[in-house]
Amino acid sequence: MSSLHQARLRALFTVFMTAFSLAAQAAVPASTYVGMGSSSDAKDNVTVSVNVPSDSTDSLFYHFSAPSAQTWAAFGIGSQMKGALIFVMYASEDGSNVTVSPRLGEGHVMPQHTSSVTVDVLSGSGIVDGSFVVNAKCTGCRSWSGGSADVNSSSQDMIWALGPSGTLKSDDTSATISQHEGYNFFNLNLKEATGTGGVPSISNSTTADNSNDGSGFGGHINPGVAFHAFLMVAAFLVVFPTGYLALRVLERVWLHWGIQSFALLMVCVGSAAGIGVSIRQQLTPSLKSGHQVLGLVVLTLVLTTWTVGLVGHRIYKKTGAPAKIMKGHRVLGPSTILLGLVNCFVGFHFASNNHGMIVFGIAMLLMFIIVGSLTFFKRRQKMRKGAMNTPAAFNFREGESGNAGPPPPLYGEGGIPLQSYANTPPVYR
Ligand code: HEM
Ligand SMILES: *[C@@H]1O[C@H](CO)[C@@H](O)[C@H](O)[C@H]1NC(C)=O
Ligand SMILES: *[C@@H]1O[C@H](CO)[C@@H](O)[C@H](O)[C@H]1NC(C)=O
Ligand SMILES: *[C@@H]1O[C@H](CO)[C@@H](O)[C@H](O)[C@H]1NC(C)=O
Ligand SMILES: *[C@@H]1O[C@H](CO)[C@@H](O)[C@H](O)[C@H]1NC(C)=O
């Protein structure tokens, strides 16, 4: 055989093998999701593509990419953190490659590394062009303690999350990661992804199956949490301030009592909903987070303020004199509302809801302006009415008509109290 012939054969073989591998690659079925990462930059997209090898019962192939400006990036099989099998990726110790850590979600706490799932990181993986890129085969990843993937499903529930910006370099699969900056939900058609095993290839012509993309970065409405938030925001932003105005502007004690009692009921039901959701859905069930602790303090304060108000008013009715404890009510009332509003803010932060935080901040400012100006005008109006009855006003009127009367006390001699907006006597009832 001539060397020319050999070279031709080798070339033919190479062409044949290339064609074969391309065909094989094209034959790797997969379900792909491309979602928006932390920004609208196309380079920031989170891509998850899964292949279900039909010749195996416990393995999966996947391709994952996400922005490496984040400390970590992850996707999970499951509808929420709790019960999900989560693959967390971060930079390796030397920063040249990626560490893949399979973890089990246990609620809204750091997922813990599991050794019952093995991940083989395959070629093409690394930190490429500002992205974590992972091509991997996992074994023991179709069912795990707490859940399983339904390979027959055309819409397997999936999640992804991105850690805060920064770098985390570690080869340790149990490395501590901090809470995500954002997360989202999506679905994969695993039934369609079943067939020849292999790492799914993502070309720029891949049609992203992100029709089930959530409402955006970190956006997802949990009905229990939404009910809790609605009641609390409505109580502290609208109902309590209205009750305040009922007393200070309308000067109706019974209306004040009724409105604040209703708000108290809202806070009780809202707190119960918050506690219930935290425990049932494992959202920090220990109730030790700042928002939860402050919430319990506010609940106690609301109950105390309401009780003090009721008792104080009873004493006033009985004795006809303002009760001393009403001073406590006057301090407790506004500070409780203020603390409640602060905790609404903290709550939006707790739920990583920045949009909610901004909208709430604006609404709160508006509320302060409305309540402040109504109270101000009421005070001014009262002072003006009061001014008509001062000796100075009498003197002025008598001087007009020329009538003689007892000489009015003079300014500066202590006869006429100088009034200002600030020292309007408080209403104790
Ligand atoms: C230190 C680690 C982590 C902590 C402390 C943590 C904490 C939390 C907290 C407090 C929430 C509730 C916030 C909200 O309602 O918006 C939450 C929700 C969520 N987290 Fe995490 N997380 C961590 C890691 C992860 C990882 C690695 C993923 C990977 C996919 C993830 C995915 C999600 C998803 C999808 C949600 C919304 C669904 C659900 O309520 O479970 N988290 N997390
Ligand atoms: C990345 O996400 C943006 C916004 O959703 C989208 O317009 C763009 O096509 C995505 N890029 C890729 C490569 O899919
Ligand atoms: C990362 O590690 C995998 C598995 O060891 C390897 O195949 C890949 O080439 C590495 N990537 C880089 C950029 O070194
Ligand atoms: C998937 O469906 C096939 C037949 O449609 C069935 O034989 C198989 O047991 C199913 N697998 C699972 C995990 O449900
Ligand atoms: C698509 O990929 C090909 C090569 O794989 C590349 O030449 C081309 O520029 C890419 N197109 C876009 C829009 O990224």
Side-chain angles (χ1 to χ4, degrees):
M1 225 187 264
S2 71
S3 64
L4 183 70
H5 195 72
Q6 269 189 341
R8 271 198 194 145
L9 257 181
R10 220 181 288 126
L12 204 67
F13 180 75
T14 309
V15 168
F16 178 76
M17 281 314 288
T18 308
F20 181 80
S21 80
L22 276 177
Q25 236 181 26
V28 169
S31 177
T32 303
Y33 160 89
V34 180
M36 208 150 68
S38 51
S39 79
S40 52
D41 190 336
K43 270 177 79 177
D44 256 7
N45 291 352
V46 172
T47 304
V48 181
S49 187
V50 172
N51 160 266
V52 182
S54 51
D55 61 354
S56 155
T57 53
D58 69 342
S59 65
L60 298 170
F61 285 93
Y62 73 80
H63 167 86
F64 175 80
S65 83
S68 63
Q70 254 72 18
T71 42
W72 57 266
F75 77 93
I77 309 171
S79 60
Q80 55 169 5
M81 285 184 76
K82 186 175 163 61
L85 170 60
I86 298 172
F87 297 94
V88 184
M89 346 274 162
Y90 34 85
S92 57
E93 191 90 55
D94 62 10
S96 72
N97 216 323
V98 283
T99 300
V100 179
S101 165
R103 301 186 182 207
L104 297 180
E106 289 160 5
H108 289 171
V109 291
M110 185 173 83
Q112 293 296 319
H113 174 250
T114 174
S115 50
S116 51
V117 174
T118 47
V119 180
D120 294 313
V121 179
L122 306 172
S123 72
S125 305
I127 297 176
V128 184
D129 240 358
S131 295
F132 292 122
V133 177
V134 178
N135 290 322
K137 177 185 184 180
C138 64
T139 312
C141 51
R142 289 200 197 174
S143 73
W144 53 92
S145 95
S148 62
D150 180 2
V151 295
N152 277 354
S153 169
S154 56
S155 64
Q156 167 67 47
D157 286 325
M158 304 285 293
I159 52 178
W160 63 256
L162 294 178
S165 322
T167 3
L168 164 68
K169 287 182 182 171
S170 178
D171 288 340
D172 182 3
T173 47
S174 299
T176 300
I177 57 168
S178 40
Q179 193 177 330
H180 31 76
E181 200 172 83
Y183 58 78
N184 215 338
F185 306 84
F186 63 102
N187 295 94
L188 287 183
N189 186 342
L190 294 188
K191 202 172 182 171
E192 231 174 40
T194 306
T196 313
V199 173
S201 68
I202 301 298
S203 65
N204 50 17
S205 62
T206 303
T207 44
D209 172 27
N210 56 2
S211 52
N212 286 311
D213 203 347
S215 56
F217 197 58
H220 177 70
I221 293 161
N222 178 329
V225 173
F227 179 67
H228 160 76
F230 171 78
L231 280 180
M232 292 310 201
V233 168
F236 287 104
L237 198 62
V238 180
V239 186
F240 275 127
T242 306
Y244 174 83
L245 291 177
L247 184 71
R248 288 280 171 254
V249 176
L250 299 178
E251 304 193 315
R252 299 273 190 283
V253 178
W254 60 268
L255 193 60
H256 172 70
W257 182 84
I259 294 173
Q260 302 313 51
S261 299
F262 183 70
L264 168 82
L265 204 73
M266 289 172 83
V267 170
C268 287
V269 174
S271 298
I275 294 168
V277 159
S278 295
I279 293 172
R280 251 187 307 114
Q281 301 184 9
Q282 298 282 305
L283 314 167
T284 325
S286 60
L287 303 180
K288 275 189 204 139
S289 89
H291 173 67
Q292 293 165 323
V293 172
L294 195 57
L296 294 174
V297 170
V298 169
L299 176 66
T300 315
L301 283 176
V302 167
L303 284 165
T304 312
T305 310
W306 185 85
T307 312
V308 169
L310 191 71
V311 171
H313 187 61
R314 278 266 168 89
I315 294 173
Y316 170 78
K317 281 275 180 150
K318 233 186 236 165
T319 64
K324 280 231 172 69
I325 58 165
M326 265 338 217
K327 274 190 189 161
H329 182 73
R330 290 185 72 225
V331 173
L332 274 173
S335 32
T336 303
I337 299 175
L338 223 62
L339 211 62
L341 288 167
V342 166
N343 206 33
C344 287
F345 231 90
V346 177
F348 281 116
H349 179 72
F350 182 59
S352 326
N353 189 343
N354 290 339
H355 181 72
M357 237 156 108
I358 294 166
V359 172
F360 179 77
I362 294 168
M364 196 165 78
L365 206 72
L366 262 167
M367 185 274 282
F368 278 129
I369 291 171
I370 292 169
V371 171
S373 45
L374 282 174
T375 322
F376 174 81
F377 285 121
K378 178 68 187 181
R379 281 189 179 186
R380 205 167 72 164
Q381 181 198 33
K382 272 182 84 173
M383 206 218 70
R384 281 205 176 135
K385 271 191 187 154
M388 296 302 280
N389 300 318
T390 60
F394 269 120
N395 182 31
F396 180 71
R397 269 184 248 126
E398 280 159 8
E400 260 182 346
S401 62
N403 273 349
L410 294 171
Y411 283 107
E413 291 190 349
I416 300 163
L418 291 173
Q419 290 204 3
S420 74
Y421 293 112
N423 68 7
T424 317
V427 186
Y428 289 120
R429 273 184 287 202

